[in-house]
Amino acid sequence: MSFNSLGLSDALLKAISKKGYTTPSPIQQKAIPSILEGKDVLASAQTGTGKTAGFTLPILQILSQGKQLSHRPVRALILTPTRELAAQIFENLKEYSTYLDIRSTVIFGGVNQKPQVAQLRNGIDILVATPGRLIDLQNQGLISLSKVEILVLDEADRMLDMGFLRDIERILKVLPAKRQNLLFSATFSKDIKKLAMGILHHPVHVEATPENTTVDAIIQKIYPCAKQKKTELIIKLISEGNWKQVLVFTRTKQGANKLTEAMISAGIKAAAIHGNKGQGARTRALAGFKDGTLTALVATDIAARGLDIPLLPHVINFELPNIPEDYVHRIGRTGRAGASGEAISLVSPDETVFLRDIEKLVGLKLPKEQIPGFEPDPNASTEPIKPGQGRPQRNSTPKKPKTDNKARSNNSFGPRRPSQNNDRRSNR
Ligand code: AMP
């Protein structure tokens, strides 16, 4: 199938071809025609499936064909959980609208609101926003959403997971009742279904199915390791393997900082990305990681959400996540867009329970490999890290993600994610 058959305008086809896309991804093939028909859509898709173009392209088409009001009120609102995701969607919108008279902008917290307000005053057709800053500006009377025709909730599961439900409900109240609604989510917990039922009218269901796979595989490996030797092992793996790009996950912000410092001391170009970092530092770190200036990006789970890091060859779990679903999110960062990747977890004895929970969730026994010199003390306690040290309590039963039985996981640009918990991860 080609983009020509999806009903998109020449201006959009030209921008798509400039981007170098030749074939629409499965989610694009399914979502674009329905959105163009004006239908509400409930889409099961995660970052890496091409979902952003799946909704931004038809929105651009609808708005560019509709009647343009002179003061340019916001006509499409795209809500996302994180600043990074918001910024990426905005970048995509800019590229796809190169040949259209459509203005978009992005607003998120953590940066001065003045430039954002100035942009809004100029008139904006499409607004990409994180819920907090949007409500802030709305409360200050700096933004009107009374002319919104299309609403997108992107990564809706993550928005709920991050505690944005109340904010979403407040935003919904100020939108016109008659509008087109698009909800994208990787997982469908009870809470997401409830939210979707409240918002969507006779939605078309679309799904990026694992059968339409272009990604090769993710090789998963466990390296048992003494807790105090993990830093040494990670430095050895990166240096001796001559790795060029590795995403490393730690459980806490403090852990991310400490590991980053140790890596830098060992001559590895590294940066940390987590909730305590300012927007400038986060953007710089991500840009450096993408352009190859940085070898290692050390991230906490929340900070890594929604990041579009293409063709990632290595992901390392410096510590296993205490929420098993996060493991699947983390390894989904590798082996994307047709490339194979490796996901390595350094597991110390006190993470035995986390590993067992993960294996239960993915339905696989993950292969273990012992690196000589890094063996854990056979007498070390396997008592898990205490809740006070960052293990939030589970409040829902995990769903089993789709992985095959060879410790690999596939889908169109990345693996599927299991359901989320509504827990808080304040230290990430
Ligand atoms: P997304 O899931 O929207 O985050 O997109 C993941 C990556 O796939 C981004 O880098 C997009 O630029 C890229 N992408 C989106 N659609 C296509 C396509 N049809 N062909 C090739 N790459 C694409």
Side-chain angles (χ1 to χ4, degrees):
M1 185 189 262
S2 76
F3 277 102
N4 292 326
S5 53
L6 292 177
L8 296 168
S9 66
D10 287 347
L12 284 169
L13 292 175
K14 204 163 138 191
I16 292 166
S17 135
K18 197 169 160 210
K19 267 296 264 179
Y21 305 163
T22 50
T23 316
S25 72
I27 200 80
Q28 291 162 1
Q29 292 178 23
K30 292 172 190 164
I32 292 174
S34 297
I35 299 174
L36 286 178
E37 281 174 31
K39 293 192 174 133
D40 279 10
V41 166
L42 179 63
S44 162
Q46 68 174 89
T47 300
T49 54
K51 69 179 166 68
T52 314
F55 62 81
T56 49
L57 290 171
I59 289 176
L60 284 166
Q61 168 120 338
I62 293 169
L63 297 191
S64 61
Q65 288 175 342
K67 131 171 131 301
Q68 198 88 267
L69 299 169
S70 57
H71 61 291
R72 302 188 90 131
V74 175
R75 291 163 66 207
L77 173 65
I78 301 170
L79 287 179
T80 81
T82 65
R83 314 163 196 191
E84 282 82 8
L85 186 58
Q88 278 161 20
I89 295 172
F90 172 56
E91 285 308 313
N92 280 337
L93 278 168
K94 272 200 300 196
E95 288 173 322
Y96 301 146
S97 60
T98 310
Y99 307 104
L100 294 171
D101 177 25
I102 292 285
R103 289 191 211 149
S104 25
T105 196
V106 61
I107 61 171
F108 46 70
V111 292
N112 189 337
Q113 73 172 45
K114 272 193 190 150
Q116 299 178 351
V117 174
Q119 286 266 354
L120 290 168
R121 285 221 176 93
N122 277 342
I124 283 299
D125 302 297
I126 305 177
L127 177 63
V128 188
T130 52
R133 178 55 64 94
L134 181 66
I135 287 182
D136 240 24
L137 297 185
Q138 231 260 321
N139 286 344
Q140 296 173 60
L142 296 169
I143 191 167
S144 165
L145 300 172
S146 64
K147 297 280 187 258
V148 168
E149 297 164 29
I150 307 174
L151 168 72
V152 182
L153 295 183
D154 191 23
E155 305 221 344
D157 50 353
R158 297 196 165 201
M159 282 204 269
L160 294 198
D161 189 38
M162 291 169 80
F164 284 136
L165 180 61
R166 294 282 293 279
D167 286 351
I168 295 171
E169 286 169 350
R170 285 171 69 183
I171 294 164
L172 289 172
K173 282 198 185 120
V174 299
L175 299 180
K178 191 172 169 300
R179 53 169 204 266
Q180 184 177 7
N181 301 288
L182 316 173
L183 188 147
F184 284 73
S185 190
T187 59
F188 287 90
S189 63
K190 242 170 47 202
D191 290 342
I192 285 289
K193 284 185 190 147
K194 202 167 137 205
L195 178 72
M197 269 166 57
I199 294 177
L200 304 167
H201 302 285
H202 308 295
V204 174
H205 293 243
V206 298
E207 192 177 359
T209 60
E211 283 74 38
N212 296 306
T213 179
T214 59
V215 75
D216 279 343
I218 297 169
I219 313 293
Q220 302 173 64
K221 266 190 229 163
I222 302 293
Y223 288 162
C225 185
K227 198 175 180 67
Q228 70 281 10
K229 288 208 160 181
K230 283 189 175 184
T231 305
E232 197 188 323
L233 178 53
I234 208 166
I235 289 170
K236 175 184 159 78
L237 289 170
I238 296 172
S239 311
E240 292 181 8
N242 198 18
W243 292 0
K244 299 284 179 247
Q245 204 184 32
V246 50
L247 182 61
V248 182
F249 284 96
T250 60
R251 237 185 25 250
T252 66
K253 296 183 257 201
Q254 295 83 349
N257 286 341
K258 232 174 112 190
L259 178 61
T260 306
E261 281 162 25
M263 284 179 165
I264 293 170
S265 302
I268 296 169
K269 294 189 194 89
I273 184 164
H274 55 63
N276 281 4
K277 295 271 175 188
Q279 186 54 33
R282 286 157 66 130
T283 309
R284 269 196 309 280
L286 185 60
F289 188 56
K290 280 188 177 182
D291 70 19
T293 330
L294 289 176
T295 303
L297 189 65
V298 184
T300 56
D301 291 286
I302 292 219
R305 294 195 161 178
L307 293 186
D308 174 26
I309 304 165
L311 303 172
L312 206 52
H314 306 280
V315 166
I316 295 196
N317 294 312
F318 180 73
E319 287 145 337
L320 281 183
N322 36 29
I323 295 166
E325 288 84 347
D326 281 347
Y327 174 81
V328 184
H329 298 172
R330 290 177 177 191
I331 68 163
R333 303 282 160 191
T334 183
R336 297 171 62 182
S340 64
E342 191 178 42
I344 288 175
S345 303
L346 311 188
V347 180
S348 49
D350 59 349
E351 293 171 301
T352 308
V353 174
F354 301 165
L355 179 60
R356 195 195 58 206
D357 288 353
I358 289 165
E359 290 182 331
K360 210 159 115 193
L361 176 73
V362 300
L364 296 171
K365 190 104 187 113
L366 300 174
K368 284 199 179 96
E369 209 176 290
Q370 184 61 61
I371 310 279
F374 293 89
E375 293 85 356
D377 175 354
N379 299 318
S381 166
T382 54
E383 192 62 22
I385 293 151
K386 299 278 177 314
Q389 288 171 272
R391 181 164 198 185
Q393 297 303 303
R394 169 183 306 292
N395 62 2
S396 70
T397 315
K399 269 183 206 144
K400 202 174 154 183
K402 288 192 180 171
T403 50
D404 67 24
N405 57 7
K406 290 189 227 98
R408 287 159 181 242
S409 63
N410 290 334
N411 89 11
S412 47
F413 289 78
R416 291 157 67 82
R417 297 200 310 234
S419 66
Q420 293 279 306
N421 295 319
N422 289 336
D423 44 34
R424 304 299 168 108
R425 302 165 166 101
S426 57
N427 61 345
R428 292 167 187 215

